[in-house]
Amino acid sequence: MNNNFTVASVTLLASNPPNLVSGPLLAGFGSGSGFPELQFVVELDGQQSSKFDLRTTQLYRLGAFQSLCVSEGSETVKERTYSKGITIQFEDEEESSAFHGAFEQWKSNAVTQGLSLPNGTVSSSKSKFDDKIEASSAKMYFHYYGQLLHQQNMMQDYVRTGSYYAAVIENKADFAGRVVVDVGAGSGILSLFAAQAGAKHVYAVEASEMADYAQKLIAGNPSLGQRITVIKGKVEDVELPEKADILISEPMGTLLINERMLESYVIARDRFLVPNGKMFPTVGRIHMAPFSDEYLYVEIANKSLFWQQQNYYGVDLTALHGTAFQGYFSQPVVDAFDPRLLVAPSISHIINFTTVKEEDLYEINIPLKFTASVGTRIHGLACWFDVLFNGSTVQRWLTTAPGAPTTHWYQLRCVLSQPIYIMQGQEITGHLHMIAHSAQSYTINLTMSAKMWGPGAKQGGILQTSSCKLDLKEPYYRMSQPQAYPAAQDQQPDQDLKHPSLADFVQQCSNDSDVQIL
């Protein structure tokens, strides 16, 4: 296959006005920079050249003798931008066809076979991230985190930011003189913390446009910034000049796993971390407990009353009431609730970030088993998470538990459309089954059952079962809604809780004229 071609002229579109460079020009395909590229060089003196990375370059025919070559820049929600573009004028149609054939062959080889890079790793034009995440979801995701106001919202979560700062500074021995990789660096704040702790060098990897702001922030702190390198790209794709002694990241989403960034954290571990290197955070735990909340149940159920109208401008809407009713119960509820709504001690599911496989996060199945501490009506399953920074000097937990200081993650509740009645001491069983999907989230299937109580219980029969299917991607944010109890911020999340009796709770609900008791 011919790798070198002569073209009549090229016009550089990036300049204003466009700059015509007359030939003859040499256009050549190669991989001298470690990736497949196309280079245009003035044949006479070789002083003027333009290179295109074929992994992000497209070639279009404008006519028999003319083509357009563009290199993709960044994508926003509204449009795709291009960082470079030229028009190519060929001597004849035969040369044009041969050039297009070579271009497609080189690009195809880069996609299907990958290309050996200088440090021995393999990369391809379509990353592992792109293979499993739909483009529209990724576009919205990186657009969201590319905005300063959302970074500010997270930075102003002082439980979150303060916990990270304390975990790093209290464990300077883990950072001093070490190479650190900040996975999904965002504003770069964690990279700066690592530099404060004495890191030898920090590689801040960020795929969104926030990388440019991170560079600005780091440059504004020169005493720390001289040891920080910002790398714009996905951890699945970028190459680093050296291995990391420690990874730091904030990969947690709602219910710990939402947004599927934990997978990127694990991929970064496998690609960049030295054997027995440290990860901050080290371990995550999802906590679960059944809850009773008549306020919440009635609020959700009443949303579908609109569809019970039989004469809405002459139209009967009732045919859609059942669908609307189930639709409202398919949304997980994100809010901060009082821990006294829990009706049994919590259980937990542990994810060890240092050993978990990426594929283990595609599907998570958690068996449920609780013993009711009160007799009441169970409305669903409450969930929250915490993470451990397992430092050599100090072990620090960051928790999102009810009763603890509220974070921007709040807590999450899966509400059953058919509540379950239980007695004190009765066993509650079920499954929480979460399946990852390409919109960077999970489908949640929850089943809860109350085992038989009284005579015949030893035979192990099931008395009641209720289930629901929810999309973690589409939660109901309820943070502004009034709570049944004032926040108990001084209560420790793991201490034993006293729960109100069902009679007291029903009486409290009855005193509120806006609440219906079903």
Side-chain angles (χ1 to χ4, degrees):
M1 180 176 63
N2 185 19
N3 295 327
N4 297 299
F5 299 85
T6 301
V7 299
S9 64
V10 297
T11 302
L12 306 178
L13 302 179
S15 56
N16 189 18
N19 181 25
L20 173 64
V21 181
S22 298
L25 295 171
L26 179 66
F29 295 93
S31 55
S33 301
F35 52 84
E37 64 180 356
L38 169 61
Q39 183 176 13
F40 295 90
V41 181
V42 176
E43 191 173 21
L44 295 179
D45 55 17
Q47 294 301 307
Q48 188 168 2
S49 65
S50 183
K51 292 184 179 181
F52 289 81
D53 183 345
L54 291 181
R55 296 171 298 181
T56 58
T57 299
Q58 302 294 332
L59 185 66
Y60 305 97
R61 290 186 187 272
L62 300 180
F65 304 151
Q66 191 177 43
S67 296
L68 171 66
C69 183
V70 289
S71 179
E72 294 178 10
S74 61
E75 290 189 14
T76 67
V77 172
K78 295 182 179 179
E79 62 181 6
R80 172 177 293 175
T81 62
Y82 294 91
S83 60
K84 190 189 305 183
I86 64 172
T87 58
I88 311 165
Q89 189 71 36
F90 296 96
E91 294 284 357
D92 52 49
E93 188 173 355
E94 181 179 351
E95 189 78 358
S96 173
S97 297
F99 181 87
H100 274 263
F103 180 92
E104 293 302 326
Q105 186 64 47
W106 272 86
K107 192 170 181 67
S108 175
N109 290 343
V111 171
T112 59
Q113 300 174 9
L115 189 68
S116 180
L117 298 173
N119 61 4
T121 61
V122 174
S123 178
S124 67
S125 63
K126 188 172 185 182
S127 72
K128 191 172 186 178
F129 180 92
D130 296 330
D131 284 336
K132 65 185 180 182
I133 301 300
E134 61 186 48
S136 59
S137 176
K139 183 183 293 186
M140 290 296 295
Y141 175 78
F142 290 122
H143 173 73
Y144 179 91
Y145 285 108
Q147 300 180 68
L148 276 177
L149 69 157
H150 297 306
Q151 295 292 329
Q152 179 179 336
N153 177 54
M154 293 185 290
M155 293 172 70
Q156 286 182 319
D157 179 347
Y158 296 112
V159 176
R160 164 198 179 269
T161 308
S163 295
Y164 269 89
Y165 180 78
V168 173
I169 299 302
E170 291 170 348
N171 290 286
K172 286 186 177 181
D174 294 324
F175 288 85
R178 306 294 173 83
V179 175
V180 181
V181 171
D182 184 356
V183 181
S187 65
I189 190 68
L190 301 185
S191 296
L192 291 162
F193 290 171
Q196 286 183 40
K200 175 184 175 183
H201 201 87
V202 184
Y203 296 97
V205 183
E206 172 57 41
S208 77
E209 297 302 313
M210 186 52 57
D212 299 330
Y213 294 112
Q215 186 66 66
K216 261 189 172 182
L217 182 62
I218 290 166
N221 293 268
S223 61
L224 302 173
Q226 62 186 355
R227 289 179 283 124
I228 302 174
T229 300
V230 177
I231 299 175
K232 189 173 183 179
K234 305 182 185 76
V235 294
E236 291 86 352
D237 305 338
V238 301
E239 302 300 327
L240 301 182
E242 56 187 325
K243 290 288 187 178
D245 301 300
I246 184 168
L247 298 186
I248 189 167
S249 182
E250 196 268 75
M252 302 89 73
T254 307
L255 192 57
L256 181 62
I257 58 176
N258 189 39
E259 296 179 338
R260 297 183 64 179
M261 191 182 164
L262 285 181
E263 295 165 39
S264 296
Y265 190 36
V266 169
I267 290 171
R269 177 201 70 193
D270 294 341
R271 296 192 68 208
F272 305 132
L273 192 61
V274 299
N276 301 315
K278 284 192 169 290
M279 298 178 72
F280 272 45
T282 317
V283 172
R285 299 187 301 184
I286 300 175
H287 300 270
M288 300 143 284
F291 72 92
S292 179
D293 190 343
E294 292 287 349
Y295 281 106
L296 176 61
Y297 180 81
V298 172
E299 177 186 327
I300 296 175
N302 282 352
K303 287 183 176 184
S304 63
L305 292 179
F306 170 84
W307 298 98
Q308 285 190 331
Q309 297 180 81
Q310 295 177 323
N311 188 13
Y312 179 77
Y313 295 96
V315 177
D316 186 348
L317 301 181
T318 57
L320 293 179
H321 174 258
T323 302
F325 182 86
Q326 293 300 328
Y328 284 119
F329 280 96
S330 71
Q331 290 184 284
V333 177
V334 175
D335 68 350
F337 63 85
D338 193 284
R340 286 172 288 185
L341 297 176
L342 303 177
V343 299
S346 65
I347 64 172
S348 61
H349 176 76
I350 299 174
I351 301 176
N352 187 335
F353 303 140
T354 66
T355 59
V356 68
K357 297 178 181 177
E358 178 196 353
E359 294 76 15
D360 295 338
L361 299 171
Y362 293 171
E363 186 172 353
I364 301 172
N365 193 19
I366 306 173
L368 305 176
K369 187 176 182 180
F370 308 97
T371 300
S373 54
V374 294
T376 186
R377 195 159 81 135
I378 291 178
H379 295 103
L381 188 71
C383 307
W384 61 95
F385 72 87
D386 53 27
V387 293
L388 169 67
F389 300 91
N390 190 22
S392 300
T393 307
V394 176
Q395 292 185 332
R396 177 168 289 274
W397 287 92
L398 165 58
T399 183
T400 64
T406 303
T407 70
H408 77 284
W409 290 287
Y410 297 90
Q411 293 98 41
L412 180 137
R413 287 185 281 176
C414 303
V415 186
L416 298 168
S417 60
Q418 294 295 326
I420 299 174
Y421 292 86
I422 51 98
M423 301 292 290
Q424 184 176 6
Q426 193 169 3
E427 187 176 278
I428 306 157
T429 59
H431 280 86
L432 181 64
H433 188 203
M434 298 176 286
I435 304 172
H437 58 65
S438 60
Q440 291 175 276
S441 194
Y442 285 77
T443 298
I444 300 175
N445 294 285
L446 171 65
T447 299
M448 299 183 74
S449 303
K451 296 194 72 173
M452 187 175 291
W453 184 256
K458 292 183 179 179
Q459 279 68 46
I462 297 295
L463 183 61
Q464 304 168 76
T465 295
S466 185
S467 61
C468 60
K469 182 177 181 180
L470 310 99
D471 187 352
L472 186 56
K473 180 82 171 182
E474 301 292 340
Y476 164 37
Y477 290 101
R478 190 176 175 255
M479 283 79 77
S480 62
Q481 298 295 321
Q483 298 298 307
Y485 300 95
Q489 295 289 341
D490 58 342
Q491 191 166 13
Q492 296 300 314
D494 292 329
Q495 75 181 53
D496 292 333
L497 304 172
K498 292 184 178 179
H499 304 284
S501 68
L502 178 60
D504 292 338
F505 190 78
V506 171
Q507 181 61 45
Q508 182 178 1
C509 294
S510 301
N511 293 335
D512 192 329
S513 60
D514 294 330
V515 175
Q516 301 177 17
I517 304 299
L518 301 184

